[in-house]
Amino acid sequence: MNIKKMLAIYGGLVIGIGSAAYAAEPEPVPPTSLDLRTTVDGSPIDLSTSLPTERDTPGVLKFLQTGVDPYIDDPSCLRLGESLFLSDCSGCHGEIGEGKIGPGLNDDYWTYPKNVHDQGVFETVYGGARAMMGPHNGDLTLDQFMQVIAWVRHLYKDPVNQAFWLTDAQKKNYKPYTLAEGKRIAALPISTPGQCQATAVQEKKEQDQEDKESQ
């Protein structure tokens, strides 16, 4: 093998290793105008403890400036939120948020009153609460928090005048949650248009790759 070819191969390896190392670096912690506080003791929430990916999606960036979850009425995000809720939350809170060993999430009573606002729900889920509710900052990406919160809101079944997280326009279109609605959302294709379409497609590619490697 001549010197030029050896240098070319070596250079390719270095670039490849460098690229992998760069890809593994965590995304920067996004700025926020919110005063995020844990539900347990009111201490400041440190967003640097979040998982290192999906920190700078448009949905996350908007929430961190407004305190409002922009995914609440986006079907592409709801289908992801439903899947996450069923796998991560339903064991304690029930499949439709009816409550089990954890409190119900689909009615107009909130154990922590601040959870009538999206920021409050984020703080409770991110930093944990009392009893058995531990922090989930190590389980979900910041974007997945937005997806789960959107689905929790979608499960709501009580009077719309108590849904303080909805805009006036959203209240006009409000319908109490039904099992049929849950099945409809779950059956939506990955290609469903919306803010989370690219995320859904990427997750499917990653899952297919994992399945292929495990065979």
Side-chain angles (χ1 to χ4, degrees):
M1 184 181 297
N2 61 44
I3 296 296
K4 288 185 178 180
K5 193 170 184 179
M6 288 178 65
L7 289 173
I9 293 174
Y10 177 75
L13 288 172
V14 170
I15 292 172
I17 293 171
S19 298
Y22 178 80
E25 291 181 359
E27 295 173 3
V29 178
T32 180
S33 63
L34 307 178
D35 181 20
L36 297 169
R37 299 276 172 170
T38 63
T39 296
V40 176
D41 60 13
S43 59
I45 283 178
D46 181 6
L47 291 177
S48 69
T49 64
S50 63
L51 294 178
T53 59
E54 295 186 340
R55 287 176 167 178
D56 61 353
T57 65
V60 169
L61 296 178
K62 183 173 182 178
F63 168 76
L64 290 177
Q65 295 305 314
T66 65
V68 175
D69 187 339
Y71 293 167
I72 282 178
D73 52 7
D74 188 323
S76 71
C77 302
L78 290 174
R79 63 175 296 280
L80 294 176
E82 180 180 17
S83 178
L84 287 167
F85 182 88
L86 290 174
S87 62
D88 291 10
C89 313
S90 63
C92 291
H93 296 287
E95 291 190 8
I96 58 172
E98 73 276 18
K100 292 173 71 176
I101 60 175
L105 303 174
N106 65 352
D107 54 29
D108 61 3
Y109 173 78
W110 296 94
T111 304
Y112 305 101
K114 70 175 184 175
N115 288 355
V116 298
H117 303 293
D118 296 338
Q119 178 178 335
V121 178
F122 175 84
E123 291 171 338
T124 299
V125 182
Y126 188 94
R130 298 178 182 88
M132 297 178 65
M133 177 70 179
H136 287 272
N137 57 308
D139 305 329
L140 302 170
T141 67
L142 291 181
D143 196 71
Q144 287 174 330
F145 276 105
M146 299 299 98
Q147 297 165 26
V148 170
I149 292 170
W151 185 249
V152 168
R153 296 311 196 196
H154 198 70
L155 291 171
Y156 185 69
K157 61 175 180 55
D158 279 357
V160 69
N161 65 337
Q162 297 299 308
F164 300 106
W165 54 88
L166 296 178
T167 65
D168 290 341
Q170 289 169 332
K171 287 180 178 179
K172 289 181 181 179
N173 295 321
Y174 166 74
K175 294 180 181 178
Y177 177 81
T178 64
L179 290 174
E181 170 67 1
K183 292 179 180 178
R184 183 188 73 81
I185 294 292
L188 290 173
I190 293 172
S191 58
T192 299
Q195 299 172 84
C196 297
Q197 181 185 45
T199 299
V201 171
Q202 180 60 32
E203 288 184 359
K204 181 64 166 59
K205 288 181 179 179
E206 292 173 357
Q207 185 59 56
D208 288 346
Q209 183 61 33
E210 289 179 10
D211 294 342
K212 182 178 181 181
E213 292 175 353
S214 65
Q215 291 176 355

